[in-house]
Amino acid sequence: MLNTDYTITIIEDDPLQLENLETALTEQGFQVKAFTERKPAEASFDEALPDLVISDIILGNEIDGGFELAKHLLSYERAIPVIFLSERQSEFDIYTGHALGAIDYLPKPISLSVLTAKVKNLLRITGTAPTADKAEKSIIDGLRLANEEFKAYWQDKALDLTATEFEMLKQFALTGERGVVTYDTLQESTQGVVERNTINTHICRIRSAFKKIDPEFNLIHNEYGRGYSWYEK
């Protein structure tokens, strides 16, 4: 018989959905901690890590809030399994969820009985060995990628990027200085999640992330009609 002395953390910004999830799992004997926002949930991890995390992707105003939470979980030595519940079902989103350590990525709405059965099976078979930290090589001096964590580091300091922005920045890291990263390449790197007319907004956010570390940062430049390139003027 499954030991139900497991703790499950749920993060869902819809109060009604959160209540339904909490009730369904509590009735199965699980200890449940419920949150509507990412940061309070992350603060609770510092007190005690759960045995399982169930999270939506969009959390309030954070379109990648669930992905950011999964990235945070990767900072702990102990591996915590994650189940994502989301209406976002693009190949890129599903890939990103699994790349960030998700055990499962399920569509909304989902049957609560199906979810509880999956939770029981997962907790019965899942292990807790930490995953290896693998870095993908950047050819830009000072820029380092931690691909499995969807994190980038500038001068050994972590950049504040969403998973989508990380994928876009990675194109510069792999292209190197002076090479042009085209609009098509940036769009394709996100499997079409980013539209052509919003690319500039994401580039501005990427620049801002660098400027939080280095206020004089000015290495990403527009190449009119083509895309962007990385170089020092």
Side-chain angles (χ1 to χ4, degrees):
M1 180 179 294
L2 178 68
N3 177 5
T4 54
D5 291 334
Y6 288 108
T7 299
I8 301 173
T9 295
I10 307 172
I11 309 94
E12 166 59 64
D13 62 352
D14 183 306
L16 181 58
Q17 292 185 43
L18 180 63
E19 181 181 1
N20 290 339
L21 291 168
E22 182 178 12
T23 299
L25 292 170
T26 300
E27 287 178 348
Q28 297 297 316
F30 296 111
Q31 305 298 313
V32 178
K33 295 181 179 179
F35 300 91
T36 57
E37 297 179 347
R38 173 175 65 89
K39 290 186 177 180
E42 290 179 349
S44 75
F45 299 153
D46 292 333
E47 298 174 5
L49 286 172
D51 298 292
L52 171 67
V53 170
I54 300 174
S55 180
D56 195 355
I57 303 300
I58 301 174
L59 298 173
N61 294 326
E62 295 187 287
I63 62 171
D64 285 345
F67 291 154
E68 293 301 307
L69 181 136
K71 286 166 64 176
H72 179 81
L73 283 171
L74 290 172
S75 66
Y76 294 96
E77 181 177 354
R78 175 184 158 203
I80 307 300
V82 176
I83 294 177
F84 282 124
L85 303 179
S86 181
E87 295 175 350
R88 286 167 50 174
Q89 292 294 307
S90 73
E91 181 180 352
F92 175 74
D93 284 325
I94 295 171
Y95 162 78
T96 300
H98 286 292
L100 287 170
I103 297 295
D104 213 339
Y105 191 113
L106 304 174
K108 284 185 175 182
I110 186 170
S111 161
L112 293 176
S113 60
V114 170
L115 178 63
T116 54
K118 282 180 172 287
V119 167
K120 289 180 179 179
N121 287 337
L122 186 153
L123 291 173
R124 184 180 294 112
I125 67 175
T126 189
T128 56
T131 57
D133 178 21
K134 298 182 181 177
E136 186 163 354
K137 184 69 173 177
S138 166
I139 61 174
I140 291 177
D141 289 341
L143 180 61
R144 180 169 62 86
L145 304 177
N147 198 53
E148 288 194 346
E149 300 175 16
F150 280 64
K151 289 183 179 180
Y153 297 83
W154 178 242
Q155 308 299 351
D156 292 324
K157 295 181 180 179
L159 291 160
D160 183 14
L161 302 172
T162 66
T164 298
E165 292 157 2
F166 170 84
E167 287 294 338
M168 295 175 73
L169 177 61
K170 184 164 71 173
Q171 306 315 306
F172 292 92
L174 301 179
T175 301
E177 295 187 23
R178 294 286 176 181
V180 175
V181 180
T182 67
Y183 292 117
D184 287 344
T185 297
L186 290 168
Q187 193 169 359
E188 290 168 5
S189 73
T190 67
Q191 301 294 317
V193 170
V194 173
E195 299 292 338
R196 172 69 177 268
N197 61 355
T198 65
I199 287 176
N200 186 60
T201 300
H202 288 280
I203 293 295
C204 287
R205 282 182 46 82
I206 292 170
R207 287 186 180 123
S208 295
F210 278 97
K211 288 183 177 181
K212 288 179 182 178
I213 296 172
D214 177 8
E216 303 300 319
F217 179 86
N218 185 30
L219 296 173
I220 299 176
H221 305 283
N222 181 257
E223 300 291 340
Y224 183 75
R226 300 170 64 198
Y228 297 85
S229 58
W230 179 293
Y231 63 90
E232 186 171 358
K233 285 187 175 180

